[in-house]
Amino acid sequence: MRTETCRPLRLDLLLTLCRLHREGVAARMTCDLVPTRAELLEIVQWESRAARELELMLDAYGWPGPALVGEVGAEAAWWVALLCDRQSVFQHKAHALLLESVDREDAPARHLAYFTDRQLMHDGGRPQLYGTQYVLGADGALTRHPVADPGLLGLRRHRVGLPKTCEARPGDLRLVALTRGPLAAACLSPTR
């Protein structure tokens, strides 16, 4: 990845991305690993706001990579876009722009690996390529989403700069708990 500049060119965009990231983390800091209906509604509301704000940035500047917003801003942009799960159209647009940015070497390939896995999982439950995505069950159990050709997983992960092995840590995963799928349906149903 290119690192021609260490300073963010657009401090205003960096501040926006950091705010969206901070708000997203706060929304995901649920009391238990499995969010309540109220907590999940807060996450979904954040997703909607964050997707609207980030989409305006994407329309104006393309993917906010390190050359535009610095390393911290690029990490925040990736995290926010990755976790706007109920915003499918937005996520597809963000994924395409991230792919272009990785091709130009203005975003890390590992960001694209996570985003690609999440898209595969959400788009029909297809097997992921890099082993980055886990499913949070209604009982709080974590299960890795199926991986395509597991024998090549280590090689694929190495090519994008991820460690060869991938282990889920519940503390980390609480921040990326799915907001689509069976868990979300259970939490958002009127009975919970």
Side-chain angles (χ1 to χ4, degrees):
M1 189 175 76
R2 287 186 315 205
T3 54
E4 294 163 359
T5 180
C6 294
R7 291 182 317 181
L9 299 177
R10 292 295 307 264
L11 186 57
D12 58 329
L13 301 179
L14 170 61
L15 292 173
T16 296
L17 291 167
C18 288
R19 177 182 51 80
L20 292 173
H21 180 266
R22 185 179 65 250
E23 291 170 356
V25 169
R28 282 175 166 69
M29 293 306 295
T30 58
C31 292
D32 293 314
L33 187 58
V34 177
T36 65
R37 183 177 189 275
E39 290 168 334
L40 189 58
L41 285 171
E42 185 178 338
I43 293 168
V44 169
Q45 290 170 347
W46 169 81
E47 288 178 7
S48 180
R49 287 190 315 270
R52 276 194 311 271
E53 285 191 58
L54 187 51
E55 187 163 27
L56 291 173
M57 193 179 299
L58 296 178
D59 289 344
Y61 304 99
W63 184 260
L68 182 66
V69 294
E71 296 290 334
V72 170
E75 286 287 322
W78 161 72
W79 190 89
V80 169
L82 182 72
L83 295 179
C84 286
D85 287 327
R86 288 186 161 298
Q87 308 299 319
S88 299
V89 173
F90 162 75
Q91 275 194 330
H92 283 285
K93 177 180 186 174
H95 184 262
L97 291 171
L98 176 57
L99 175 60
E100 291 172 9
S101 189
V102 168
D103 286 345
R104 287 190 317 273
E105 298 181 348
D106 189 36
R110 67 182 168 76
H111 285 180
L112 186 60
Y114 274 86
F115 218 134
T116 298
D117 278 356
R118 202 155 182 101
Q119 291 289 290
L120 289 168
M121 182 176 67
H122 285 322
D123 294 345
R126 294 181 288 169
Q128 60 181 321
L129 299 175
Y130 303 97
T132 64
Q133 300 301 301
Y134 288 77
V135 176
L136 177 63
D139 62 353
L142 295 169
T143 312
R144 185 180 352 178
H145 185 72
V147 175
D149 201 356
L152 296 175
L153 179 60
L155 178 62
R156 287 192 302 261
R157 289 178 63 86
H158 174 74
R159 286 182 178 161
V160 296
L162 292 172
K164 185 176 181 179
T165 59
C166 45
E167 305 233 350
R169 295 187 313 233
D172 295 341
L173 291 176
R174 105 180 290 174
L175 295 178
V176 295
L178 300 180
T179 54
R180 286 203 285 191
L183 175 60
C187 289
L188 291 174
S189 69
T191 58
R192 180 152 185 195

